[in-house]
Amino acid sequence: MSRENPDQARQAGRALDAANFFLADVRDGLGPYLAVYLLTEQHWDEARIGLVMSIATIAGIVAQTPAGALVDATRAKRAVMAIAAVMVTLASLLLPLLPTFGPVAISQGIAQAAAVVFPPAIAAVSLGIFGHVAFTRRIGRNETFNHAGNAVAAALAGLSAYWFGPTVVFYLLGAMAIASLASILAIPERAIDHDLARGLDEADAQSEQPSGLAVLLTCRPLLVFAICVLLFHLSNAAMLPLVGQKLALQDKNMGTSLMSACIVAAQLVMVPFAMLVGARADQWGHKRFFLAALLILPVRGALYTLSDNPFWLVGVQLLDGVGAGIFGAIFPVIVADLMRNTGRFNVAQGAVITAQNIGAALSTTLAGFVVVGAGYSAAFITLGAVAAVGAVICLVALPETRQIADDGPRPRGKTAASGSAIAAK
């Protein structure tokens, strides 16, 4: 096990750093650039853009829980991530060749379905290499490199788009995909403890049943967390695409570059906040960090309505760095708390990310129709109100999950339902 082999652990840690950096661009595919590309180059309206993005997200919803079960079951985690990276890249590169509604929806659906493998796989590999004691710090480091990679990719996309146009993001995605494949394969296979990677420690590995739905329904704190995650993404997912559309409508030629400025601004803020979660969450409490991420969103939504000035919009986008930086780092930590020694860590991740993707799918559709019917300001206020509801639910109903994890190891051979019953107390 790599935790008993310092040299192997260091090699694995460096490879994970690189994988998180280069996968930052690949795991999101075209991300918010899709909205800008379809609006400015293909002349789609906001409702149609929101619909195709929602269709793609629904494909991810269908694939997410099976992806978590696959990560739990397989010992070829590196190969699974490599195949997913290739699929995301190829599906996105086909988009300029077939820019009509049907092919775009299908290609982005494939990309989204493949990309759902990355979050549980990276978290699983991290847990399998570094164990529970170092997991929070390692996840904070993962997110730090992920946000740094996003910032670099967005900066390159913005500068390149200024000179060569919005389609340059497709070439950048291909280059990052090649680098990500090399990084994934550099992770030593022998460094990964695959039983530990699925959340097992003293529990019987043979008791695992790959049913994320069962875990979600029998662990009350996990269910509350899933609801809060859904509301977080119902609020958050559409905000950046809406900002990108506003910027593009003001200046078509600068739309992609200004979108990149928004992304770079947010990602640069995410880096220190991800580091803060990794360094302090175990001492300050996991729930407190998650609640802070929710509370940022209503403030951000309200501030977007105050001005259409590009510098103001980019400045407000810094708050996305606070909320998303905290959320990305604390999310797998809370799931690991609740699934400690059940052997269902990655299935549970898949189940909660399914809720996350439902929120994201509804977010882009909701925002698109509100913009068409009442304007951008109404859409931002609506999205902020959704997050406020999530913050109230988190404050009232979600326990401090760190205390649940610290209750001690569960008896050998307990099922997920038994472990969840302990968590529900």
Side-chain angles (χ1 to χ4, degrees):
M1 186 183 308
S2 64
R3 290 173 299 149
E4 299 172 359
N5 186 333
D7 291 336
Q8 193 175 70
R10 280 193 293 270
Q11 179 186 350
R14 288 192 295 267
L16 264 175
D17 291 343
N20 278 284
F21 182 89
F22 291 114
L23 280 173
D25 193 47
V26 177
R27 67 191 287 180
D28 294 329
L30 295 175
Y33 293 112
L34 177 62
V36 173
Y37 175 78
L38 293 176
L39 183 71
T40 61
E41 296 296 311
Q42 302 301 327
H43 309 294
W44 291 24
D45 64 37
E46 290 86 352
R48 199 174 181 215
I49 292 170
L51 182 59
V52 77
M53 293 177 74
S54 293
I55 290 171
T57 306
I58 289 169
I61 293 171
V62 173
Q64 187 64 72
T65 301
L70 173 63
V71 172
D72 268 340
T74 185
R75 292 180 176 270
K77 294 177 175 60
R78 300 183 311 157
V80 168
M81 285 193 287
I83 292 169
V86 172
M87 291 179 65
V88 171
T89 304
L90 291 179
S92 296
L93 293 179
L94 287 174
L95 191 148
L97 303 177
L98 300 167
T100 57
F101 184 87
V104 170
I106 293 171
S107 67
Q108 293 309 295
I110 292 172
Q112 187 70 34
V116 299
V117 166
F118 296 126
I122 290 173
V125 169
S126 299
L127 184 59
I129 294 171
F130 296 98
H132 286 286
V133 173
F135 185 62
T136 300
R137 186 171 296 276
R138 180 64 235 183
I139 289 296
R141 187 176 177 91
N142 286 354
E143 289 299 305
T144 297
F145 277 90
N146 174 264
H147 298 317
N150 266 320
V152 170
L156 290 173
L159 292 172
S160 301
Y162 180 78
W163 296 105
F164 304 109
T167 57
V168 75
V169 297
F170 297 100
Y171 301 104
L172 179 62
L173 179 62
M176 296 289 275
I178 294 172
S180 69
L181 290 174
S183 303
I184 290 167
L185 297 178
I187 301 171
E189 174 61 33
R190 291 178 298 176
I192 305 170
D193 181 329
H194 291 282
D195 288 335
L196 184 57
R198 66 195 293 178
L200 286 170
D201 193 355
E202 298 179 345
D204 182 3
Q206 300 303 315
S207 68
E208 197 270 344
Q209 298 176 2
S211 173
L213 182 61
V215 173
L216 188 62
L217 294 178
T218 55
C219 178
R220 181 171 55 84
L222 188 67
L223 179 60
V224 172
F225 182 58
I227 292 169
C228 293
V229 167
L230 185 152
L231 293 173
F232 179 94
H233 283 273
L234 179 58
S235 172
N236 185 65
M239 284 194 181
L240 181 56
L242 288 183
V243 172
Q245 290 169 22
K246 289 187 73 173
L247 293 171
L249 289 173
Q250 293 181 51
D251 188 337
K252 173 183 174 181
N253 294 328
M254 289 293 292
T256 298
S257 295
L258 289 171
M259 170 64 80
S260 295
C262 286
I263 295 173
V264 171
Q267 296 295 332
L268 290 176
V269 175
M270 289 179 197
V271 170
F273 277 91
M275 294 173 65
L276 179 66
V277 171
R280 297 299 180 194
D282 286 345
Q283 289 77 38
W284 294 355
H286 299 167
K287 173 184 173 178
R288 291 178 181 176
F289 275 95
F290 181 53
L291 181 60
L294 282 163
L295 290 172
I296 287 295
L297 287 170
V299 177
R300 181 176 156 215
L303 291 176
Y304 277 138
T305 67
L306 299 182
S307 174
D308 290 341
N309 183 281
F311 295 102
W312 174 261
L313 294 175
V314 173
V316 174
Q317 185 61 19
L318 292 171
L319 291 176
D320 184 33
V322 179
I326 293 172
F327 177 85
I330 205 64
F331 170 82
V333 173
I334 290 178
V335 177
D337 288 344
L338 298 174
M339 294 295 102
R340 185 77 175 264
N341 285 347
T342 65
R344 291 161 169 80
F345 171 49
N346 298 299
V347 174
Q349 279 198 96
V352 180
I353 295 173
T354 297
Q356 169 182 315
N357 288 341
I358 290 172
L362 295 174
S363 180
T364 52
T365 298
L366 172 65
F369 283 107
V370 173
V371 168
V372 171
Y376 282 94
S377 293
F380 285 123
I381 293 297
T382 300
L383 296 174
V386 169
V389 173
V392 171
I393 295 173
C394 176
L395 181 64
V396 172
L398 184 68
E400 172 50 64
T401 63
R402 180 192 58 185
Q403 296 174 356
I404 294 173
D406 289 345
D407 282 343
R410 289 153 191 148
R412 177 179 293 273
K414 289 290 183 183
T415 65
S418 302
S420 299
I422 295 173
K425 288 183 179 178

